Amino acid sequence: MDTATRLRQTLISWAAGDTDAPHPAKASTARELAAELDLRTVVLVEGVSDRAAVEALAVRRGRDLTAEGVVVVPLGGATGITRFLRLLGPDGLGVRPAGLCDAAEQRFFLQGLERTGFGAALTGDDLEGLGFFTCHADLEDELIRALGTDGVQRVIDAQGDLRALHIFQKQPAQRERPVEAQLRRFMGTIGGRKEHYARALTEALDPTRPPRPLDGLLTHLRPPGPFGRLSLGPTPRPTQPVPVRPVR
């Protein structure tokens, strides 16, 4: 298991504790792993599919987030944001947070940031300045709008799931729904499919025209250049889409 994965699992276990105070043993392990990684930023996202998309777009752009001192951690739900933020603060790892959230869950992120000392009377307009970017509905919605429904169905076809989608669309509960809603629901019908398609759809994007929240987050995460400013040098050549095995 690589160091970034060990740190991610340690943070998730640490946050699952019964108290808000850092557990001494887990805190010690997390600090050792953070030092080994030269950790700079922890990106907090709601679920594993969000993590898959962030990491996939970084690869498309020729970036290595781990080498940049960045680890992406899924919260397992937006309501856990406050506890994770405390773990990253001065009583924990002492690193800066960043993240993605859904519009409907934005209030939990605002409350968490306020409770952990990142601001007062925050509004949605303040989030991006703190490194947090909001998806219009959720990340799947952002990816579907970026690719278009035809583009998404081409990805589904390439993954060998087009017949399954057509069968799903004929179900009575789905027949009258817009195609966008059908696609979003289809991706959540089987365990692992949502994460799988978050990665596959991101790999199908034009890497220079991703959804705004993903683009904003990755821009925010760029390591400092000379004099502490963000590096605006040449963008690495994007990688080609990587085939992903279908999920059945």
Side-chain angles (χ1 to χ4, degrees), residues 57-63 207-208 222 233-240:
L57 185 58
V59 171
R60 290 293 315 277
R61 290 183 165 180
R63 292 176 60 181
T208 66
R222 289 188 71 88
T235 301
R237 181 177 297 175
T239 62
Q240 294 299 314

Side-chain angles (χ1 to χ4, degrees), residues 12 23 30 39 45 49 72 89 103 117 120 127 139 162 172 191 194 198 217 224 237 240:
I12 291 171
H23 185 283
L39 187 67
V45 296
S49 61
V72 184
L127 282 177
L139 187 56
L162 192 60
K194 191 174 181 180
L217 176 62
R237 181 177 297 175
Q240 294 299 314

Side-chain angles (χ1 to χ4, degrees), residues 47-118:
V48 293
S49 61
D50 304 287
R51 175 195 157 200
V54 171
E55 294 178 342
L57 185 58
V59 171
R60 290 293 315 277
R61 290 183 165 180
R63 292 176 60 181
D64 182 342
L65 293 182
T66 301
E68 294 178 14
V70 176
V71 172
V72 184
V73 177
L75 300 171
T79 56
I81 181 67
T82 300
R83 181 162 290 186
F84 276 90
L85 286 170
R86 286 197 178 108
L87 301 184
L88 303 182
D91 293 331
L93 296 183
V95 298
R96 71 171 182 168
L100 280 179
C101 68
D102 299 343
E105 313 298 342
Q106 190 183 77
R107 68 187 187 280
F108 295 113
F109 279 65
L110 291 170
Q111 291 168 1
L113 288 163
E114 289 182 359
R115 289 171 181 171
T116 51
F118 287 93

Side-chain angles (χ1 to χ4, degrees), residues 51-226:
R51 175 195 157 200
V54 171
E55 294 178 342
L57 185 58
V59 171
R60 290 293 315 277
R61 290 183 165 180
R63 292 176 60 181
D64 182 342
L65 293 182
T66 301
E68 294 178 14
V70 176
V71 172
V72 184
V73 177
L75 300 171
T79 56
I81 181 67
T82 300
R83 181 162 290 186
F84 276 90
L85 286 170
R86 286 197 178 108
L87 301 184
L88 303 182
D91 293 331
L93 296 183
V95 298
R96 71 171 182 168
L100 280 179
C101 68
D102 299 343
E105 313 298 342
Q106 190 183 77
R107 68 187 187 280
F108 295 113
F109 279 65
L110 291 170
Q111 291 168 1
L113 288 163
E114 289 182 359
R115 289 171 181 171
T116 51
F118 287 93
L122 296 174
T123 69
D125 293 336
D126 298 316
L127 282 177
E128 292 190 4
L130 296 172
F132 288 83
F133 297 81
T134 304
C135 297
H136 181 263
D138 55 25
L139 187 56
E140 288 72 30
D141 171 71
E142 294 281 356
L143 292 170
I144 290 168
R145 289 192 292 122
L147 284 170
T149 56
D150 289 343
V152 172
Q153 290 180 83
R154 284 193 292 271
V155 173
I156 291 173
D157 188 17
Q159 301 303 308
D161 286 336
L162 192 60
R163 182 173 180 273
L165 172 64
H166 289 165
I167 292 172
F168 173 78
Q169 290 174 315
K170 293 177 182 178
Q171 294 179 3
Q174 300 300 325
R175 289 174 187 164
E176 303 303 320
R177 302 184 75 192
V179 176
E180 293 84 355
Q182 292 174 342
L183 292 171
R184 286 176 65 196
R185 183 68 187 93
F186 175 74
M187 292 173 197
T189 53
I190 293 178
R193 182 180 275 171
K194 191 174 181 180
E195 178 183 1
H196 172 83
Y197 274 104
R199 183 178 294 106
L201 294 176
T202 302
E203 289 172 347
L205 290 169
D206 177 346
T208 66
R209 300 178 63 188
R212 185 180 179 279
L214 276 177
D215 185 46
L217 176 62
L218 283 178
T219 299
H220 176 80
L221 294 175
R222 289 188 71 88

